[in-house]
C-alpha cells in the first residue's frame, strides 16, 4: 500500500504524512532561518535533516513537493518573484528530490492549482490570500488541525496524491463528496 509524504516548500515549510489510519495526515512545520540575505546554506541543511527525520519516522513510499512557482509573462513583480526566493524554492525542491532518491522513494511534484482544484473545487483564486484561506477552511471542515497555511498546503497536496493512488480515498476529501 502506498504511503505519501508531501512538502509545501518555503523558508517555513509544511509537511503532511499518512497517519496510522491512512485517512488523515500527520502534520509538521519547519521554520528555517536565513541569517544573511542570500545565504541559504543553514536553511537547506536544516530542511534536509528535518525531511530525513520525517521519512525515517513515517516510512512513506512516495514523496512529493508543491512545484516551485516561476514567474513568467507580464505579471507584476512582487516579493515572491525575487531571484533569491526563486533560487531558494528550486533548491528546496532539488533537495527533496535528492533525499527521496537516496531513500529509494518515488518522487513527484504537483502544481498548486491542480492541488487546489482537487481539494477546494477551484484551481484559481482572486489572490494568494484567498487561495490559502480556502485550503485552510477545507482542512478545518475535514477536522484536520493545521497550525498554519504551510501545513494546510502540505495536507492538500497529500490528499491529492492519496486520491490519485487510491481513487476510493477521493470521496472523503473532495468538496463534492465531503459530507458523504
Amino acid at each position: 500500500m502506498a504511503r505519501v509524504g508531501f512538502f509545501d516548500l518555503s523558508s517555513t515549510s509544511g509537511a503532511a504524512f499518512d497517519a496510522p489510519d491512512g485517512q488523515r495526515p500527520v502534520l509538521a512545520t519547519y521554520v528555517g532561518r536565513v541569517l544573511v540575505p542570500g545565504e541559504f546554506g543553514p536553511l537547506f541543511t536544516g530542511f534536509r535533516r528535518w525531511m530525513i527525520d520525517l521519512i525515517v519516522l513515517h516510512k512513506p513510499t512516495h514523496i512529493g513537493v508543491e512545484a516551485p512557482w516561476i514567474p513568467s509573462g507580464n505579471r507584476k513583480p512582487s516579493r515572491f518573484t525575487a531571484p533569491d526566493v526563486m533560487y531558494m524554492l528550486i533548491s528546496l525542491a532539488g533537495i527533496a528530490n535528492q533525499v527521496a532518491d537516496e531513500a529509494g522513494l518515488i518522487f513527484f511534484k504537483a502544481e498548486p492549482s491542480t492541488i487546489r482544484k482537487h481539494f477546494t473545487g477551484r484551481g484559481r483564486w482572486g489572490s494568494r490570500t484567498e487561495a490559502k484561506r480556502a485550503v485552510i477552511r477545507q482542512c478545518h471542515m475535514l477536522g484536520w488541525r493545521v497550525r498554519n497555511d504551510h501545513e494546510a498546503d502540505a495536507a492538500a497536496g497529500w490528499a491529492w496524491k492519496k486520491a490519485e493512488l487510491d481513487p476510493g480515498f477521493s470521496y472523503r476529501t473532495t468538496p463534492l463528496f465531503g459530507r458523504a
Side-chain angles (χ1 to χ4, degrees):
M1 174 169 219
R3 295 185 50 82
V4 176
F6 194 87
F7 292 86
D8 172 59
L9 304 174
S10 185
S11 57
T12 300
S13 294
F17 284 82
D18 286 40
D21 65 8
Q23 300 303 307
R24 59 190 166 79
V26 173
L27 305 165
T29 300
Y30 168 72
V31 180
R33 301 280 183 241
V34 178
L35 301 175
V36 177
E39 293 186 19
F40 296 103
L43 170 75
F44 296 158
T45 299
F47 174 80
R48 187 174 193 283
R49 288 178 181 155
W50 176 69
M51 186 178 177
I52 290 169
D53 288 346
L54 289 173
I55 288 170
V56 168
L57 180 64
H58 296 291
K59 299 174 181 39
T61 58
H62 295 70
I63 286 290
V65 299
E66 189 176 88
W69 178 74
I70 307 301
S72 63
N74 296 321
R75 297 178 189 232
K76 292 193 301 189
S78 73
R79 65 187 177 100
F80 299 106
T81 62
D84 277 349
V85 173
M86 291 188 312
Y87 170 76
M88 177 190 65
L89 295 175
I90 292 168
S91 296
L92 287 169
I95 290 166
N97 194 331
Q98 180 212 16
V99 169
D101 182 67
E102 286 176 352
L105 306 176
I106 298 167
F107 179 80
F108 65 95
K109 61 184 185 298
E111 294 296 325
S113 61
T114 301
I115 293 168
R116 286 189 198 118
K117 181 149 178 108
H118 165 80
F119 199 66
T120 68
R122 280 178 62 186
R124 304 266 183 230
W125 292 82
S127 72
R128 181 176 181 268
T129 302
E130 284 180 88
K132 297 239 176 235
R133 285 184 186 147
V135 171
I136 290 169
R137 197 170 35 251
Q138 183 65 15
C139 285
H140 289 164
M141 284 176 47
L142 292 166
W144 299 349
R145 296 206 164 139
V146 296
R147 294 174 290 182
N148 53 56
D149 62 281
H150 306 287
E151 287 184 357
D153 285 344
W158 172 85
W160 170 79
K161 190 62 173 182
K162 288 290 288 184
E164 183 180 88
L165 295 171
D166 176 11
F169 178 82
S170 182
Y171 78 91
R172 293 183 290 263
T173 59
T174 57
L176 179 61
F177 299 105
R179 292 174 200 66

